[in-house]
PDB file of all heavy atoms in Angstrom:
ATOM      1  N   ASN F  12      20.145  42.534 105.569  1.00  0.00           N
ATOM      2  CA  ASN F  12      21.725  42.729 105.617  1.00  0.00           C
ATOM      3  C   ASN F  12      21.961  44.080 105.120  1.00  0.00           C
ATOM      4  O   ASN F  12      21.613  44.450 104.110  1.00  0.00           O
ATOM      5  CB  ASN F  12      22.223  41.647 104.564  1.00  0.00           C
ATOM      6  CG  ASN F  12      23.710  41.608 104.677  1.00  0.00           C
ATOM      7  OD1 ASN F  12      24.334  42.673 104.721  1.00  0.00           O
ATOM      8  ND2 ASN F  12      24.305  40.495 104.610  1.00  0.00           N
ATOM      9  N   PHE F  20      17.938  36.848 106.602  1.00  0.00           N
ATOM     10  CA  PHE F  20      17.909  36.013 107.900  1.00  0.00           C
ATOM     11  C   PHE F  20      16.539  36.105 108.583  1.00  0.00           C
ATOM     12  O   PHE F  20      15.953  37.173 108.470  1.00  0.00           O
ATOM     13  CB  PHE F  20      18.912  36.726 108.785  1.00  0.00           C
ATOM     14  CG  PHE F  20      19.051  36.022 110.021  1.00  0.00           C
ATOM     15  CD1 PHE F  20      19.966  34.848 110.150  1.00  0.00           C
ATOM     16  CD2 PHE F  20      18.474  36.500 111.128  1.00  0.00           C
ATOM     17  CE1 PHE F  20      20.077  34.182 111.339  1.00  0.00           C
ATOM     18  CE2 PHE F  20      18.782  35.791 112.420  1.00  0.00           C
ATOM     19  CZ  PHE F  20      19.517  34.638 112.602  1.00  0.00           C
ATOM     20  N   ASP F  32       8.686  32.387 131.252  1.00  0.00           N
ATOM     21  CA  ASP F  32       9.141  31.067 131.603  1.00  0.00           C
ATOM     22  C   ASP F  32      10.601  31.008 131.855  1.00  0.00           C
ATOM     23  O   ASP F  32      11.281  30.553 132.758  1.00  0.00           O
ATOM     24  CB  ASP F  32       8.760  29.842 130.685  1.00  0.00           C
ATOM     25  CG  ASP F  32       7.256  29.633 130.756  1.00  0.00           C
ATOM     26  OD1 ASP F  32       6.688  30.137 131.607  1.00  0.00           O
ATOM     27  OD2 ASP F  32       6.845  29.026 129.782  1.00  0.00           O
ATOM     28  N   TRP F  45      24.523  32.723 143.168  1.00  0.00           N
ATOM     29  CA  TRP F  45      25.070  33.586 144.282  1.00  0.00           C
ATOM     30  C   TRP F  45      25.707  32.763 145.329  1.00  0.00           C
ATOM     31  O   TRP F  45      26.749  33.107 145.904  1.00  0.00           O
ATOM     32  CB  TRP F  45      23.915  34.194 144.941  1.00  0.00           C
ATOM     33  CG  TRP F  45      24.005  34.972 146.238  1.00  0.00           C
ATOM     34  CD1 TRP F  45      23.602  34.678 147.463  1.00  0.00           C
ATOM     35  CD2 TRP F  45      24.954  36.119 146.445  1.00  0.00           C
ATOM     36  NE1 TRP F  45      23.964  35.620 148.410  1.00  0.00           N
ATOM     37  CE2 TRP F  45      24.796  36.475 147.861  1.00  0.00           C
ATOM     38  CE3 TRP F  45      25.685  36.881 145.630  1.00  0.00           C
ATOM     39  CZ2 TRP F  45      25.525  37.568 148.391  1.00  0.00           C
ATOM     40  CZ3 TRP F  45      26.250  37.873 146.187  1.00  0.00           C
ATOM     41  CH2 TRP F  45      26.343  38.223 147.493  1.00  0.00           C
ATOM     42  N   PRO F  68      35.587  33.307 115.056  1.00  0.00           N
ATOM     43  CA  PRO F  68      35.201  33.315 113.616  1.00  0.00           C
ATOM     44  C   PRO F  68      33.736  33.255 113.363  1.00  0.00           C
ATOM     45  O   PRO F  68      33.132  33.924 112.576  1.00  0.00           O
ATOM     46  CB  PRO F  68      35.910  32.107 112.893  1.00  0.00           C
ATOM     47  CG  PRO F  68      37.181  31.900 113.876  1.00  0.00           C
ATOM     48  CD  PRO F  68      36.632  32.132 115.292  1.00  0.00           C
ATOM     49  N   GLY F  79      27.347  45.031 108.531  1.00  0.00           N
ATOM     50  CA  GLY F  79      27.988  45.448 107.357  1.00  0.00           C
ATOM     51  C   GLY F  79      29.459  45.983 107.650  1.00  0.00           C
ATOM     52  O   GLY F  79      29.862  46.717 106.655  1.00  0.00           O
ATOM     53  N   LYS F 100      39.170  40.896 137.188  1.00  0.00           N
ATOM     54  CA  LYS F 100      40.333  41.469 137.998  1.00  0.00           C
ATOM     55  C   LYS F 100      39.844  42.324 139.105  1.00  0.00           C
ATOM     56  O   LYS F 100      40.391  42.367 140.286  1.00  0.00           O
ATOM     57  CB  LYS F 100      41.283  41.930 137.100  1.00  0.00           C
ATOM     58  CG  LYS F 100      42.543  42.538 137.842  1.00  0.00           C
ATOM     59  CD  LYS F 100      43.556  43.026 136.864  1.00  0.00           C
ATOM     60  CE  LYS F 100      44.912  43.695 137.534  1.00  0.00           C
ATOM     61  NZ  LYS F 100      45.835  44.184 136.610  1.00  0.00           N
ATOM     62  N   ASP F 104      37.948  43.359 144.755  1.00  0.00           N
ATOM     63  CA  ASP F 104      38.064  44.632 145.545  1.00  0.00           C
ATOM     64  C   ASP F 104      36.842  45.431 145.621  1.00  0.00           C
ATOM     65  O   ASP F 104      36.567  46.038 146.661  1.00  0.00           O
ATOM     66  CB  ASP F 104      39.271  45.594 144.942  1.00  0.00           C
ATOM     67  CG  ASP F 104      40.633  44.962 145.043  1.00  0.00           C
ATOM     68  OD1 ASP F 104      40.799  44.191 146.145  1.00  0.00           O
ATOM     69  OD2 ASP F 104      41.412  45.266 144.256  1.00  0.00           O
ATOM     70  N   LYS F 178      26.631  27.310 125.643  1.00  0.00           N
ATOM     71  CA  LYS F 178      26.371  25.981 125.941  1.00  0.00           C
ATOM     72  C   LYS F 178      27.782  25.300 126.357  1.00  0.00           C
ATOM     73  O   LYS F 178      27.874  24.254 126.894  1.00  0.00           O
ATOM     74  CB  LYS F 178      26.110  25.312 124.684  1.00  0.00           C
ATOM     75  CG  LYS F 178      24.503  25.577 124.465  1.00  0.00           C
ATOM     76  CD  LYS F 178      23.905  24.691 123.210  1.00  0.00           C
ATOM     77  CE  LYS F 178      22.650  25.154 122.819  1.00  0.00           C
ATOM     78  NZ  LYS F 178      21.659  25.225 123.952  1.00  0.00           N
ATOM     79  N   PRO F 181      28.400  25.586 130.978  1.00  0.00           N
ATOM     80  CA  PRO F 181      27.120  25.080 131.491  1.00  0.00           C
ATOM     81  C   PRO F 181      26.711  25.991 132.607  1.00  0.00           C
ATOM     82  O   PRO F 181      25.433  26.252 132.784  1.00  0.00           O
ATOM     83  CB  PRO F 181      27.292  23.671 131.777  1.00  0.00           C
ATOM     84  CG  PRO F 181      28.448  23.309 130.912  1.00  0.00           C
ATOM     85  CD  PRO F 181      29.266  24.391 130.729  1.00  0.00           C
ATOM     86  N   ALA F 193      11.092  42.420 119.142  1.00  0.00           N
ATOM     87  CA  ALA F 193      10.989  43.860 119.014  1.00  0.00           C
ATOM     88  C   ALA F 193      10.351  44.483 120.430  1.00  0.00           C
ATOM     89  O   ALA F 193      10.734  43.924 121.505  1.00  0.00           O
ATOM     90  CB  ALA F 193      10.106  44.331 117.878  1.00  0.00           C
ATOM     91  N   TYR F 274      32.346  73.488 117.375  1.00  0.00           N
ATOM     92  CA  TYR F 274      32.428  74.935 117.485  1.00  0.00           C
ATOM     93  C   TYR F 274      33.904  75.254 117.466  1.00  0.00           C
ATOM     94  O   TYR F 274      34.596  75.066 118.382  1.00  0.00           O
ATOM     95  CB  TYR F 274      31.742  75.428 118.635  1.00  0.00           C
ATOM     96  CG  TYR F 274      30.308  74.835 118.692  1.00  0.00           C
ATOM     97  CD1 TYR F 274      29.806  73.743 119.426  1.00  0.00           C
ATOM     98  CD2 TYR F 274      29.322  75.634 117.822  1.00  0.00           C
ATOM     99  CE1 TYR F 274      28.588  73.396 119.311  1.00  0.00           C
ATOM    100  CE2 TYR F 274      27.962  75.205 117.829  1.00  0.00           C
ATOM    101  CZ  TYR F 274      27.608  74.078 118.403  1.00  0.00           C
ATOM    102  OH  TYR F 274      26.334  73.551 118.497  1.00  0.00           O
ATOM    103  N   VAL F 338      23.710  60.312 100.545  1.00  0.00           N
ATOM    104  CA  VAL F 338      23.679  58.821 100.858  1.00  0.00           C
ATOM    105  C   VAL F 338      23.599  58.133  99.615  1.00  0.00           C
ATOM    106  O   VAL F 338      22.686  58.206  98.794  1.00  0.00           O
ATOM    107  CB  VAL F 338      22.472  58.655 101.795  1.00  0.00           C
ATOM    108  CG1 VAL F 338      22.330  57.166 102.034  1.00  0.00           C
ATOM    109  CG2 VAL F 338      22.538  59.424 103.041  1.00  0.00           C
ATOM    110  N   ILE F 361      20.142  68.863 111.625  1.00  0.00           N
ATOM    111  CA  ILE F 361      21.497  68.297 111.692  1.00  0.00           C
ATOM    112  C   ILE F 361      22.265  68.723 113.007  1.00  0.00           C
ATOM    113  O   ILE F 361      23.187  68.177 113.545  1.00  0.00           O
ATOM    114  CB  ILE F 361      22.410  68.636 110.595  1.00  0.00           C
ATOM    115  CG1 ILE F 361      23.417  67.570 110.236  1.00  0.00           C
ATOM    116  CG2 ILE F 361      22.942  70.010 110.524  1.00  0.00           C
ATOM    117  CD1 ILE F 361      22.987  66.298 109.868  1.00  0.00           C
ATOM    118  N   GLU F 365      19.919  63.922 116.942  1.00  0.00           N
ATOM    119  CA  GLU F 365      21.001  62.858 116.923  1.00  0.00           C
ATOM    120  C   GLU F 365      21.082  62.406 115.586  1.00  0.00           C
ATOM    121  O   GLU F 365      20.109  62.053 114.806  1.00  0.00           O
ATOM    122  CB  GLU F 365      20.657  61.725 117.877  1.00  0.00           C
ATOM    123  CG  GLU F 365      21.836  60.828 118.075  1.00  0.00           C
ATOM    124  CD  GLU F 365      21.652  59.755 119.226  1.00  0.00           C
ATOM    125  OE1 GLU F 365      20.563  59.475 119.468  1.00  0.00           O
ATOM    126  OE2 GLU F 365      22.653  59.332 119.865  1.00  0.00           O
ATOM    127  N   ALA F 368      25.326  58.858 111.436  1.00  0.00           N
ATOM    128  CA  ALA F 368      25.964  58.747 110.036  1.00  0.00           C
ATOM    129  C   ALA F 368      27.259  59.470 110.159  1.00  0.00           C
ATOM    130  O   ALA F 368      27.595  60.281 111.047  1.00  0.00           O
ATOM    131  CB  ALA F 368      25.040  59.375 109.011  1.00  0.00           C
ATOM    132  N   PRO F 372      28.998  68.619 111.225  1.00  0.00           N
ATOM    133  CA  PRO F 372      28.621  70.077 111.091  1.00  0.00           C
ATOM    134  C   PRO F 372      29.637  70.802 111.842  1.00  0.00           C
ATOM    135  O   PRO F 372      29.788  70.588 113.095  1.00  0.00           O
ATOM    136  CB  PRO F 372      27.195  70.296 111.472  1.00  0.00           C
ATOM    137  CG  PRO F 372      26.870  69.204 112.447  1.00  0.00           C
ATOM    138  CD  PRO F 372      27.870  68.080 112.057  1.00  0.00           C
ATOM    139  N   GLN F 406      40.613  72.732 130.843  1.00  0.00           N
ATOM    140  CA  GLN F 406      39.952  72.219 132.038  1.00  0.00           C
ATOM    141  C   GLN F 406      38.757  73.289 132.374  1.00  0.00           C
ATOM    142  O   GLN F 406      37.686  72.862 132.669  1.00  0.00           O
ATOM    143  CB  GLN F 406      40.808  71.963 133.065  1.00  0.00           C
ATOM    144  CG  GLN F 406      40.211  71.422 134.320  1.00  0.00           C
ATOM    145  CD  GLN F 406      39.867  69.913 134.118  1.00  0.00           C
ATOM    146  OE1 GLN F 406      40.537  69.108 133.380  1.00  0.00           O
ATOM    147  NE2 GLN F 406      38.694  69.500 134.659  1.00  0.00           N
ATOM    148  N   SER F 410      34.787  72.373 132.243  1.00  0.00           N
ATOM    149  CA  SER F 410      33.983  72.368 133.595  1.00  0.00           C
ATOM    150  C   SER F 410      32.662  73.034 133.413  1.00  0.00           C
ATOM    151  O   SER F 410      31.686  72.856 134.183  1.00  0.00           O
ATOM    152  CB  SER F 410      34.780  73.084 134.721  1.00  0.00           C
ATOM    153  OG  SER F 410      34.948  74.490 134.394  1.00  0.00           O
TER     154      SER F 410
END
Side-chain angles (χ1 to χ4, degrees):
N12 186 319
F20 183 79
D32 292 346
W45 170 246
K100 182 179 179 180
D104 289 335
K178 293 185 187 306
Y274 300 100
V338 176
I361 203 75
E365 188 169 29
Q406 185 70 37
S410 69

